[in-house]
Amino acid sequence: MQDIQEVQEWVATVPATEFETNGSNAVLVNGKQIAIYYFADTQEWYATDNECPHQKQQALSRGIIGSEGDEPKVACPFHKKSFSLKTGQCLSGEDYKVNTYPVKVEDGVVYLGI
Amino acid sequence: MSEKKKIIVVGNGMTGYKFCEKFIEKGLNNIYSITVFGEEPWAAYDRVHLTDYYTGTDVHDLKMAPRAWYEENGIELRTSYKITSINREAKQVINVHGDAFDYDALVLATGSSAFVPPIPGVDKKGVFVYRTIEDLDAIKAYIPQAKSAAVIGGGLLGLEAAKAVMDDGLKTSVVEFAPRLMPRQLDEAGGEMLKSELEKLDLDILLNKATKNICGNGKVTNMQFADDSTLDTDMVVISAGIRPRDELARESGLTVGERGGILVSDDMLTSDPNIYAIGECALAQGAIWGLVAPCYDMADVCAETLLGKEAAFTGADLSTKLKLIGIEVASFGDAFGVTEGAIPIVYHNIVSGIYKKIYVSADGQYLLGGILVGDAEDYNMLYQTYNSKIKLPKNPEGLIIKGTDGGFELSVLDLPDEAVICSCENVTKKSLIEAVDEFDFTQVSQLKKATKAGTGCGGCVPMLDDLLTAKLEASGKVVKKVICEHFDYTRQELFDLIKVGEIKSFSALLEKYGKGKGCEICKPLSASLLASIWNEHITEHANIQDTNDRFLANIQKGGTYSVVPRIPGGEITPDKLIVIGQVAKKYDLYTKITGGQRVDLFGARVDQLPDIWKELIDAGMESGHAYGKSLRTVKSCVGSAWCRYGQQDSVSFAIKVEERYKGLRSPHKLKGGVSGCIRECAEARGKDFGIIATDKGYNLLVCGNGGANPKHALLFATDVDEETCIKYLDRFLMYYIKTATPLTRTSKWLEQLDGGIEYLKEVVIEDSLGIAAQLEEDMQQTVNTFACEWKKVIESPELLKKFKPFANTEAVDDTIQFVPMREMKKPANWG
Ligand code: SRM
Ligand SMILES: Cc1cc2nc3c(=O)[nH]c(=O)nc-3n(C[C@H](O)[C@H](O)[C@H](O)COP(=O)(O)OP(=O)(O)OC[C@H]3O[C@@H](n4cnc5c(N)ncnc54)[C@H](O)[C@@H]3O)c2cc1C
Ligand code: SF4
Ligand code: FES
């Protein structure tokens, strides 16, 4: 899992079992859409804004997750631009960036650091 | 730090950018700091591929490098920043507000602008040029109010612009002053051939036309020519050549050429020892160079000179290949045979629209140059033969006429080491080979990234592919198209591995045969393989599917989805039609009759999809698989049931065929058509399989395509009955599913199949491989296990959960926005 950045607040979402395995879901936190990614095979969790910076679509939770080299990533379903789940940096050669958030699982519940 | 000298670059076009790249590459950044001023709002972009932007490529995809690249390399880039004067004494450049910036060395890379001839009326609304992103935006914005367009200029760029606006649906004319098209590259016969080919595409070509007047009250309505003829047109695109932007240089007293261009010596210095000029604004070797390769060369020379090294620009070869889709045109070397004693060899085929002419030296030893129209496949090799002065065989006609005795089969590996394969980036065969050897490259993309070859105009990419393949083959390595970085296998191999190893999930496949975490390429591909091998419900693998297959609907702008119920053969009862209408009304969906004889309902939120489908399924409908790589429609005409010409009952047969193959997962989508007679109202010849009734039965045709590269289907079997037709189709489709690479339609697959249609007939009809029974059995198995995917979803609480927009609340996505359109609606614009 990524370094725990400075977290203002840990928001409980839902039990880990509610999440797509080796996939992603969106959650709504304080009116904002956030995408949570779950690599079940390696027990890694990541989170980013759901909005793709390319055409501002609420879409990343509907993309396919995977890796490029060692970097875990998601590819937007609209135009297949990829984003690192660790840094939020676009990996398709453009200067887009999405916000990332820390995720932790406690007592089976998934928490998001906002 | 602050002791570094300052370089200022004016102009952030392709050349200005290339200079920045050389600046970093050659370590000039150790001596100089650098600031770049660009007048356009964007960081440098690939102007050569500007037409891609016109046809939909994103601005970002055209960028030479992202802004972050400039930042990381310490290059200060200021865009939307026009420099308006140079104070050579103070060594400063100044902008419109009077802000001044000091330089030690100044590099002018101001490029050129479109040349607008002084014709009365060029300032009218509806007159455009074709040079920048803004120009193209302006054209795009004007198109909806235009029905016709005229392009002034029948050269390389004019034809590119004409093709673009024509593809936008305008009746387009090209107006050329000279007596032939591309007068600088083609001879009379070549120009004539190009003209007749372009006319077949519905492009109107007017030659010998000098435009006298662009008329209209405020906006363009017609043009008048010197011969007093006129042409009605709603817009005019001027592409009559370029004018170097030398205004800064001129006003500050630098020497400029009589006909424009900043005069430079071979080391790129202008008449001021601290000022350089490179690219299209420079008058180098007595000429303005309007192609990227020489411009890049100048950027390189300029960087070398600044390093204190000896370097010189000595001119360049103006060989070109036109990027027009559909018709290939190229000219290279001494294209007009002006060399003394040059011997022409011509191949001229009016029927197939091919004209090739080459010139061979008087002693028959060397290729001097040539012209290719209609078929420029051999351009790269011919160019190399000319450029590397390769000795010709006894019968040089083999160069352009295939299959002649003494045919000349030159491989890339036969070229001399110093042969320049990529002239834009000046990459030699030697450096490509070295890169392949050093890094063990297996893919062209790796080679491009490492050497930059193929990143300019892109013309040499097929050669890079050949070189890599030849190189790998020569070193005994099997050349295969692996899927992606996660699997070292081809699709075919993965198919076998899954089947033999009884692998049932992507995780298992990855663990056993792959590495990393997978990606958007190998995941959907595996999903399609798993689905076609185990014939499972597609949602079993929802997390490795593209969004369309994950939600069993097509995603649209704004993030809503579309719903397309199956309407086999296009036949529908009034009751079902009423239900479709009611559902659309209830959920406020945009409805449209599709090109595939059915109805598409657009604008459904993901959480609404199951409810909508439930209503449709309750009324007896099924998924139309509009989202899947699977059978779409079998289009039919009304046929003998009603039509006075009908020879067979095409609707009944189309329904039968569509019912049989519905839901069949395949490498790409599949479409069929059944026509009741030779008049072909179902357009079956444009489909992956087409069935056309005869008085004795049906003719079966295969591997047609509409879409991007239309192809007529080829006759496969004649006068067969329904049963035989289905038998052949079973075998044909299964064979395609098993052997095609992903996202390859049948027409392309056939092109790649050794032996072509004749071989396919042997396999399918004569069973030359002895697999026909197996193919039929596999198909029957798939047919037997068909179930409507949407029916399964609405009956399964587990699957229904996947259509919940948020994991932690029942809320719906309220960011989706629509705007009214006619009596319905459409999604609000992007971002
Ligand atoms: C709805 C429809 C246009 C319409 O309003 O009529 C349509 C809409 C789309 N077509 Fe099409 N095509 C539609 C008929 C066609 C036809 C005409 C036909 O089938 O007779 C063609 C040319 C025939 C052919 O395929 O050979 C056609 C050639 C394409 C292609 C190019 C395929 C090719 O091989 O070149 C694509 C892109 C692709 O598949 O990769 C495409 C892709 C698309 C996509 C899926 C683009 C996308 O990924 O979003 C569009 C989805 C719309 C949506 O959200 O529902 N569509 N498309 C038509 C649906 C037919 C149906 O009932 O299923
Ligand atoms: C549609 C199209 C297709 C083409 N196709 C091909 C092809 O297939 N093959 C090929 O080899 N070539 C092709 N070309 C030509 C190629 O694009 C040019 O040779 C190349 O772009 C020249 O680069 P440049 O940097 O010298 O000039 P430009 O790309 O024109 O860049 C100059 C930049 O400087 C800026 N500038 C000018 N003055 C100032 C100022 N005072 N202050 C600040 N900024 C300033 C301009 O705004 C511009 O951004 C094509 C061109 C077009 C338009
Ligand atoms: S419906 Fe087809 S032709 Fe029309 S815009 Fe979409 S993909 Fe292009
Ligand atoms: S909207 Fe995400 S890639 Fe275009």
Side-chain angles (χ1 to χ4, degrees), chain A residues 21 26 54 65 67 69 73 96, chain B residues 58 60 485 518 520 523 543 807:
Chain A
T21 49
H54 175 223
I65 62 171
S67 62
K73 65 159 196 173
Y96 298 121
Chain B
D58 197 89
H60 293 287
E485 66 174 69
E520 71 280 7
K523 281 184 165 183
N543 53 2

Side-chain angles (χ1 to χ4, degrees), chain B residues 234-254:
Chain B
D234 301 330
M235 62 189 272
V236 173
V237 179
I238 298 180
S239 181
I242 54 171
R243 267 295 119 95
R245 292 192 57 180
D246 56 12
E247 63 270 10
L248 266 183
R250 193 183 287 271
E251 281 155 23
S252 61
L254 293 176

